[in-house]
Each structure stands twice: as C-alpha cells, then as structure tokens.
Amino acid sequence: MSSTKGPEAPAIMRIGAARLTAGLDRMPRLDLEAHRDIFGPLPRLSAEELISMAEQVDLRGQGGAAFPFARKLSAVMQTAETNDCPTIVVVNATEGEPGSIKDKMLMIRSPYLILSGAALVAEAIGAEEIVVGVAGNELANRSLEAAIAAEPGLRKMARVVQLPDRFISGESGALVRGINGKRPVPPGRKILASDFGVDDLPTLLSNASTFAQLAVLALLGPERFAAVGTPEEPGTVLLSVGGSAAHPAVIEAPTGVPLAAVLDICQAPAGDGVLVGGYHGMWLPAATAYAVPVSREGLAAVGGTLGSGIVLPLGDGTCPLGEVSRIASYLAGESAGQCGPCKLGLPSIARALAALIDGSGGIEALDVARRSAAAVAGRGACSHPDGVTRFVLSALDVFTEDLAAHVFHSSCGRPVRGVLPLPTGPEQEEQQRLVVDWTRCRGHGLCAHLIPELIHVDGHGYPVILNIPVPSWLEKDAEQAVHMCPELALRLTDAAPVPTRTAPVSIPAPQLRTGLVGGGSSSRKQITAG
C-alpha cells in the first residue's frame, strides 16, 4: 500500500501495483512528456480489435450503470454503418455526485490517460471529434484543457463543454442535451447516445475513468490486464472513499479485495453502516461491509452495488437517519421536475424523513416514507427516482435500531454531524430558498396549495418548508407563492446572479493523428500488470 497527494488534488492510495495511478507516486501531475515516459503511445487498434479486447475482460462502464463497453462500441459502429454517417466520442467527466472524486483525481493528475483512451476509440471508429463534458471543479477542468492544448492532435479535435454542477448533469441524456445546447436534464424518454447523440450522430459516450481503463487495457493486452483481480471481473478499480474516513482518498485496488482492507487503509470505521455505490446506491451493515469483496458480483450478492465506486462509511457518533434525511432532501431538490414521481414523490419522502428526525412524525411518517418510495419506484422519466428509492429503503432496512429510537422515542440522542458530503461552492451558495417571517404568518395555507412540492401544512395549519434550495423548475411557482401570501410572510432569500460560462469553440478536423496513439506492442513501458 502506498499513498500520494498533489496540491489541491484528492489523495491516492493503492493496494497492489499501480495501473490507473502509475507514476503518481513520483509526480503530482503527469504532463505530456511524463505521460509518454510512463505509458508510451498506445497501439493503434481497429474497432473490431477494441471490441474483442473489451469482451475478453468484460470491460464495463465506470460511471455507475456498468454497461458492457464492447456492446456500446458495437452499437455505435452499427448505427454509423446503417446510416452512413460520422461518429462522435464523448467523455463524461462531469462527476456531479457528492462523494465521487476518482474522475477528478484522474483529470487533475493524469489527464492524458483519459484523453488517450478517448483518442484510441476516436481513431478506431473514425470519429470527427472528441467532446469532454465537465462540471464545477475548476482545477480538474483547467488540467484537462491544458492537456488538450499541449497535444497537437487533440488540440485539433477535442473540445471541452461545461455543464451546471448538478447531480443529474452526468446522466447520459442530460449530458448530450447540454452539449447540443439544450437544457441539461434527462430527456424524459430512453434515447440511446449510440443512436442519437451529439448533433444526432451515433455517439460513443462513456465515463472518464472508463476511457482510462480502456487505455490500460490497450497497453497491457487482455492477458496481462487479467493478471490481477477476479477471473469474472479482472483488473483494478478506483474507489472514492470518504464519510468517516480519517484519510479520504481515491483507492486503486484489484477487484476481489475485501472492502475491510479499503476501509482500514483509510482509517474509516464502518460504525452503523457503509454506503456503497453513492446516493443511488445501497447501505450495508458494518459486519457485511467488512466481509464483502470489492466487485460488482460480490456486492450484489449481499444486497449492495459497486455503482460508481463510492464508499461512504458512516462511523459512530452521528445520527444515521439524520444523515439519510439530509441527503434525501438534497436529492429531492436535484430533480429535473419532469415527472410526478420526482416532483411530488421525492419531496414526500424527504418530508417524511425530516418528520421522523425531528420527532413530529412517528410511525405515520415512517409509513408515508415507505408508501411514497413504493409509489415512486419504476415510474420515473429517468433513473433518479429509482436511485433515491434504493438509497432510502436500504437505509430503513439497515438502521433499524436508530429507526426504532426515532419512531418510539422521538430521537436517538445523537447529533447530525454531516458525515455524508453535500456539494459546496458558488452555484450552491447562490441558490434561493423560501423562508417564513413567523411574526407575520397566520397559517392561511395558501402557499402549500401553490407550491406543494416544497411546502405542506402541519397539524395547526402552519407551513412547513422542505429544507432545500428552490429548484429552477419551481422558481416561478415560488415567486407566485411569495406574491400571493395574504400576510406577506413568505419570502425568497436574495441570491447573487450566477456567472455565465463560455464553452471553448470546437475546431473541427477530419481525422485524428495524435502522439498518444500510434505505437505498437514495443511501445508498452513502465505500467505493470500486477
């Protein structure tokens, strides 16, 4: 095990040999020269060769859905051939989920590993351009932009597009819409990027660390790639470990290692439970978490999910359901507002959990939370409602003792310490919130009728406001509620205007010839097979 950290960059720890993190024990960031020295140019491969290699090791997407990369690449090629049209490569580097830092680490410290994987695919499928979608981390974005500017082949073909720093910005449909100049929200119906992506062209869209994995696979070849990890899921995986960890870090580890080993090197006590897979993931009891292997199959066998590789142990000393309530409220506010399950179902879940925590809800609030989750599941226009349902219901199943304390005794006696991360930054600070001037409010209840997504009335007829910023899709309704309040008691907090950003202009090029691609097997250098 080793640990490294660059200025303002996520710390790195390793179990076993370095692959995705090669060279980062010696340098804070791999510039073009350092990347070439450590990795060398990738071998030039055809689309058929890439598909075959990806199938041999069952390479999956690293963004959460774990879709087979070979199938995605085949679908893009088939659509392009059928329609006789060019293709696009999109790198999803938005990483908008709190707690996920693995892509940011690669963007900051080893950007050419991501870009070389994208360039490899672009040359193999004859893509016209590479588009990199990014969000709010300025250090990571500047690192990627500098890497593109320093490499002539990429400079002619790659462009960076910035999206709002939101949870749903990284959903594939939202990312494609954002790149196409539309509102970056899920489209509300299943549209495959491989069929209609950027500019309605067949688009190979994958997570940033997926392209990094592809580069490592091309460098090592399938046999050497499979020298570590499990036979079913070979290779290494990047995990973002936070929560109660004394040393939060990105961990590179072979698949199959015990999750306990990952928690131990980060000094991360499981406490009441461990969240795996992020805020669309699942909670595991501590005993289960310490025994489970790090793999898709291993985690699924105990009711968990690897997802995007987020590991958030809760530790001791904080209220588990209070932490869950904080995140459920945040997730309700991150809805795109396009369907009933999101607009009404998620706020209902969040309100019920809040009532459980403050002691006002009791068994009725628990019943509302469960019924609302059941009503939401499988009915959303995107995967967000289902993900929130998994997160909440697994918490209710795991934190049974804490739940009983809140239901029957109004409190577990522990404070909510904010162990689970929430986004911070200008975009969050500048969002508006509804507040009530209690010296004026007379409990008319009109506001709850005008904006039921955010306000409901308590047993005495007074408004209870969900503790989240006003989502953009509810801004007009919130303003109407403020203006129509008979006592002028409802207000919107002031907010500074959000600065606009201009995406770099694309420089089109008919073909990609980059120094990152073009070597043969003799070009494989210092990266190890394990």
Side-chain angles (χ1 to χ4, degrees):
M1 184 270 287
S2 61
S3 173
T4 61
K5 186 175 182 179
E8 300 182 72
I12 299 170
M13 296 184 184
R14 304 186 187 95
I15 299 175
R19 288 184 169 186
L20 295 158
T21 58
L24 299 182
D25 55 342
R26 304 192 298 278
M27 286 167 277
R29 180 181 183 272
L30 302 185
D31 59 16
L32 184 56
E33 182 179 354
H35 175 85
R36 286 171 173 167
D37 182 59
I38 291 169
F39 292 99
L42 273 69
R44 300 183 68 182
L45 299 169
S46 67
E48 290 73 20
E49 289 172 321
L50 282 178
I51 291 170
S52 175
M53 294 173 71
E55 286 177 336
Q56 288 181 63
V57 301
D58 192 21
L59 182 65
R60 300 290 185 105
Q62 309 290 300
F67 193 83
F69 186 84
R71 285 173 55 189
K72 185 178 293 186
L73 184 54
S74 297
V76 170
M77 294 298 295
Q78 182 176 349
T79 303
E81 182 178 351
T82 301
N83 297 337
D84 190 24
C85 62
T87 58
I88 303 287
V89 171
V90 170
V91 179
N92 187 350
T94 53
E95 200 174 32
E97 180 165 354
S100 185
I101 53 175
K102 63 183 176 63
D103 288 359
K104 296 180 184 71
M105 182 278 294
L106 289 173
M107 293 160 69
I108 294 168
R109 304 196 58 187
S110 193
Y112 286 110
L113 194 60
I114 299 170
L115 294 169
S116 61
L120 180 70
V121 175
E123 182 155 305
I125 66 175
E128 291 196 335
E129 67 174 347
I130 298 169
V131 184
V132 185
V134 301
N137 190 290
E138 293 298 331
L139 181 61
N141 299 349
R142 290 198 308 268
S143 176
L144 267 177
E145 289 171 346
I148 291 171
E151 211 291 321
L154 292 172
R155 190 165 61 241
K156 294 176 181 177
M157 188 177 191
R159 64 180 172 117
V160 175
V161 174
Q162 181 140 4
L163 279 75
D165 190 13
R166 294 197 58 198
F167 188 90
I168 60 172
S169 294
E171 195 271 341
S172 60
L175 177 56
V176 168
R177 283 174 57 88
I179 294 171
N180 285 336
K182 301 177 182 178
R183 183 177 172 227
V185 297
R189 56 192 177 94
K190 189 67 173 177
I191 301 175
L192 298 177
S194 57
D195 293 333
F196 299 100
V198 175
D199 296 333
D200 290 333
L201 295 174
T203 299
L204 193 287
L205 188 157
S206 274
N207 174 264
S209 51
T210 308
F211 286 105
Q213 286 278 21
L214 182 68
V216 170
L217 173 59
L219 286 163
L220 294 175
E223 291 186 4
R224 295 179 67 209
F225 185 91
V228 300
T230 67
E232 298 78 18
E233 300 174 37
T236 64
V237 64
L238 293 179
L239 303 172
S240 303
V241 184
S244 67
H247 302 290
V250 175
I251 310 296
E252 181 175 16
T255 55
V257 302
L259 183 57
V262 174
L263 297 175
D264 286 347
I265 65 173
C266 292
Q267 296 182 29
D272 289 276
V274 179
L275 179 64
V276 290
Y279 293 162
H280 280 180
M282 308 279 282
W283 286 96
L284 299 178
T288 302
Y290 283 126
V292 71
V294 175
S295 67
R296 296 188 305 273
E297 185 178 281
L299 286 163
V302 296
T305 176
L306 182 60
S308 56
I310 299 172
V311 179
L312 296 173
L314 199 56
D316 299 308
T318 189
C319 169
L321 286 181
E323 298 284 348
V324 172
S325 176
R326 290 173 58 242
I327 305 309
S329 293
Y330 159 73
L331 293 172
E334 287 298 293
S335 158
Q338 297 185 113
C339 64
C342 259
K343 293 174 67 175
L344 297 172
L346 299 190
S348 177
I349 295 171
R351 281 195 297 268
L353 290 175
L356 273 174
I357 300 311
D358 66 22
S360 65
I363 195 71
E364 294 83 4
L366 175 60
D367 184 54
V368 169
R370 291 192 182 279
R371 283 191 288 106
S372 297
V376 161
R379 294 191 171 101
C382 69
S383 62
H384 186 54
D386 288 346
V388 177
T389 298
R390 282 194 301 272
F391 170 79
V392 170
L393 290 182
S394 69
L396 297 180
D397 289 340
V398 169
F399 302 129
T400 52
E401 292 184 8
D402 191 62
L403 180 60
H406 281 280
V407 168
F408 298 112
H409 304 290
S410 299
S411 173
C412 67
R414 288 177 287 183
V416 182
R417 300 189 182 277
V419 172
L420 298 182
L422 286 175
T424 58
E427 291 192 20
Q428 286 72 37
E429 294 171 358
E430 293 162 359
Q431 290 177 302
Q432 292 187 317
R433 289 176 179 266
L434 284 168
V435 296
V436 175
D437 181 349
W438 294 110
T439 64
R440 291 175 173 268
C441 182
R442 297 294 180 267
H444 293 282
L446 177 61
C447 55
H449 291 285
L450 294 173
I451 187 167
E453 297 89 347
L454 293 184
I455 303 176
H456 76 291
V457 293
D458 63 15
H460 302 286
Y462 286 94
V464 178
I465 301 176
L466 189 62
N467 186 26
I468 61 172
V470 176
S472 59
W473 50 275
L474 277 177
E475 288 175 354
K476 291 184 178 179
D477 292 337
E479 291 171 357
Q480 182 185 28
V482 168
H483 292 152
M484 294 184 66
C485 176
E487 304 294 335
L488 302 180
L490 189 65
R491 299 174 184 172
L492 277 167
T493 58
D494 292 335
V498 178
T500 58
R501 304 182 187 275
T502 303
V505 178
S506 171
I507 304 175
Q511 66 182 64
L512 174 65
R513 289 307 303 267
T514 167
L516 298 171
V517 178
S521 59
S522 61
S523 68
R524 296 174 187 169
K525 304 193 76 171
Q526 297 180 23
I527 185 172
T528 59

